[in-house]
Coordinates of all heavy atoms in Angstrom, one line a residue:
Q251 N 19.2 -19.6 -25.0 CA 20.5 -19.9 -24.6 C 20.9 -19.2 -23.3 O 21.9 -18.6 -23.1 CB 21.5 -19.5 -25.7 CG 21.4 -20.3 -27.0 CD 22.4 -19.9 -28.0 OE1 23.2 -19.1 -27.8 NE2 22.3 -20.5 -29.2
I252 N 19.9 -19.3 -22.3 CA 20.1 -18.7 -21.0 C 20.6 -19.8 -20.1 O 20.0 -20.9 -20.0 CB 18.8 -18.0 -20.5 CG1 18.5 -16.8 -21.3 CG2 18.9 -17.7 -19.0 CD1 17.2 -16.1 -21.0
T253 N 21.6 -19.5 -19.3 CA 22.1 -20.5 -18.3 C 21.4 -20.3 -17.0 O 21.3 -19.1 -16.5 CB 23.6 -20.3 -18.1 OG1 24.3 -20.5 -19.3 CG2 24.1 -21.2 -17.0
M254 N 20.8 -21.3 -16.5 CA 20.2 -21.3 -15.2 C 21.0 -22.1 -14.2 O 21.3 -23.2 -14.4 CB 18.7 -21.9 -15.3 CG 17.8 -21.0 -16.1 SD 16.1 -21.4 -15.7 CE 16.0 -23.0 -16.4
A255 N 21.3 -21.5 -13.0 CA 22.1 -22.1 -12.0 C 21.5 -22.0 -10.7 O 20.9 -20.9 -10.3 CB 23.5 -21.5 -12.0
A256 N 21.5 -23.1 -9.9 CA 21.0 -23.1 -8.5 C 22.1 -23.3 -7.5 O 23.0 -24.0 -7.8 CB 20.0 -24.2 -8.4
A282 N 12.2 -14.0 -14.8 CA 13.7 -13.8 -15.0 C 14.1 -14.2 -16.4 O 14.9 -13.5 -17.0 CB 14.5 -14.5 -13.9
S286 N 15.1 -11.6 -19.7 CA 16.6 -11.6 -19.9 C 16.9 -11.7 -21.3 O 16.3 -12.4 -22.1 CB 17.2 -12.8 -19.1 OG 17.1 -12.6 -17.7
P287 N 18.0 -11.0 -21.7 CA 18.4 -11.2 -23.1 C 19.0 -12.6 -23.3 O 19.3 -13.3 -22.4 CB 19.5 -10.1 -23.3 CG 19.3 -9.2 -22.1 CD 18.7 -10.0 -21.0
A288 N 19.2 -12.9 -24.6 CA 19.8 -14.2 -24.9 C 21.2 -14.3 -24.4 O 21.9 -13.3 -24.3 CB 19.7 -14.5 -26.4
R289 N 21.6 -15.5 -24.1 CA 23.0 -15.9 -23.7 C 23.4 -15.1 -22.4 O 24.5 -14.6 -22.3 CB 24.0 -15.6 -24.8 CG 23.8 -16.5 -26.0 CD 24.8 -16.2 -27.1 NE 24.5 -14.9 -27.7 CZ 23.5 -14.7 -28.6 NH1 22.8 -15.7 -29.1 NH2 23.3 -13.5 -29.1
T290 N 22.5 -15.0 -21.5 CA 22.8 -14.4 -20.2 C 22.6 -15.5 -19.1 O 22.5 -16.7 -19.4 CB 21.9 -13.2 -19.9 OG1 20.5 -13.6 -20.0 CG2 22.2 -12.1 -20.8
R291 N 22.5 -15.1 -17.8 CA 22.5 -16.0 -16.7 C 21.4 -15.7 -15.7 O 21.1 -14.5 -15.4 CB 23.9 -16.0 -16.0 CG 24.0 -16.9 -14.8 CD 25.4 -16.6 -14.1 NE 25.6 -17.3 -12.9 CZ 26.1 -18.5 -12.8 NH1 26.6 -19.1 -13.9 NH2 26.3 -19.1 -11.7
V292 N 20.7 -16.7 -15.3 CA 19.7 -16.6 -14.2 C 20.1 -17.5 -13.1 O 20.4 -18.7 -13.3 CB 18.3 -17.0 -14.7 CG1 17.3 -17.1 -13.6 CG2 17.8 -16.0 -15.8
G293 N 20.2 -16.9 -11.9 CA 20.6 -17.6 -10.7 C 19.5 -17.7 -9.7 O 18.8 -16.8 -9.4
I294 N 19.4 -18.9 -9.0 CA 18.5 -19.1 -7.9 C 19.3 -19.7 -6.8 O 20.0 -20.7 -6.9 CB 17.4 -20.1 -8.3 CG1 16.7 -19.8 -9.6 CG2 16.3 -20.2 -7.2 CD1 17.2 -20.5 -10.8
T312 N 18.0 -14.1 -9.4 CA 18.8 -13.0 -10.0 C 18.9 -13.1 -11.5 O 19.2 -14.2 -12.0 CB 20.2 -12.9 -9.4 OG1 20.0 -12.8 -7.9 CG2 21.0 -11.7 -9.9
D313 N 18.7 -12.0 -12.2 CA 18.8 -12.1 -13.7 C 19.7 -11.0 -14.2 O 20.1 -10.1 -13.4 CB 17.4 -12.0 -14.4 CG 16.7 -10.7 -14.1 OD1 17.3 -9.7 -14.4 OD2 15.6 -10.8 -13.6
Q314 N 20.0 -11.0 -15.4 CA 20.8 -9.9 -16.1 C 20.0 -9.3 -17.1 O 20.5 -9.0 -18.2 CB 22.1 -10.5 -16.7 CG 23.0 -11.2 -15.6 CD 24.2 -11.9 -16.2 OE1 24.0 -12.6 -17.2 NE2 25.3 -11.8 -15.6
G315 N 18.7 -9.0 -16.8 CA 17.8 -8.5 -17.8 C 17.8 -7.0 -17.9 O 18.8 -6.3 -17.6
Y409 N 22.4 -12.8 -4.7 CA 23.2 -14.0 -4.7 C 24.0 -14.2 -5.9 O 23.4 -14.1 -7.0 CB 22.3 -15.3 -4.4 CG 21.6 -15.2 -3.1 CD1 20.4 -14.5 -3.0 CD2 22.1 -15.8 -1.9 CE1 19.7 -14.4 -1.8 CE2 21.4 -15.7 -0.8 CZ 20.2 -15.0 -0.7 OH 19.5 -14.9 0.5
E410 N 25.2 -14.6 -5.8 CA 26.0 -15.1 -6.9 C 26.0 -16.6 -6.8 O 26.8 -17.2 -6.0 CB 27.4 -14.5 -6.9 CG 27.5 -13.1 -7.2 CD 27.0 -12.7 -8.6 OE1 27.2 -13.6 -9.4 OE2 26.6 -11.6 -8.8
P411 N 25.2 -17.4 -7.5 CA 25.1 -18.8 -7.3 C 26.5 -19.5 -7.5 O 27.2 -19.2 -8.4 CB 24.1 -19.2 -8.4 CG 23.4 -18.0 -8.7 CD 24.3 -16.9 -8.6
I412 N 26.7 -20.5 -6.7 CA 27.9 -21.3 -6.7 C 27.8 -22.3 -7.8 O 26.7 -22.5 -8.4 CB 28.2 -21.9 -5.4 CG1 27.1 -22.9 -5.0 CG2 28.4 -20.9 -4.3 CD1 27.3 -23.6 -3.8
P413 N 28.9 -23.0 -8.2 CA 28.7 -24.0 -9.3 C 27.5 -24.9 -9.0 O 27.4 -25.5 -7.9 CB 30.0 -24.8 -9.2 CG 31.0 -23.7 -8.7 CD 30.2 -22.8 -7.8
A414 N 26.7 -25.0 -10.0 CA 25.3 -25.5 -9.7 C 25.0 -26.9 -10.2 O 25.7 -27.4 -11.1 CB 24.3 -24.6 -10.5
V417 N 22.5 -26.8 -14.9 CA 23.0 -25.8 -15.8 C 22.5 -26.1 -17.2 O 22.5 -27.2 -17.6 CB 24.6 -25.8 -15.8 CG1 25.1 -24.8 -16.9 CG2 25.2 -25.5 -14.5

Side-chain angles (χ1 to χ4, degrees):
Q251 297 182 0
I252 291 176
T253 300
M254 291 197 295
S286 293
R289 293 178 294 278
T290 55
R291 177 184 176 92
V292 171
I294 310 99
T312 304
D313 64 57
Q314 298 172 322
Y409 299 83
E410 291 295 334
I412 63 177
V417 178

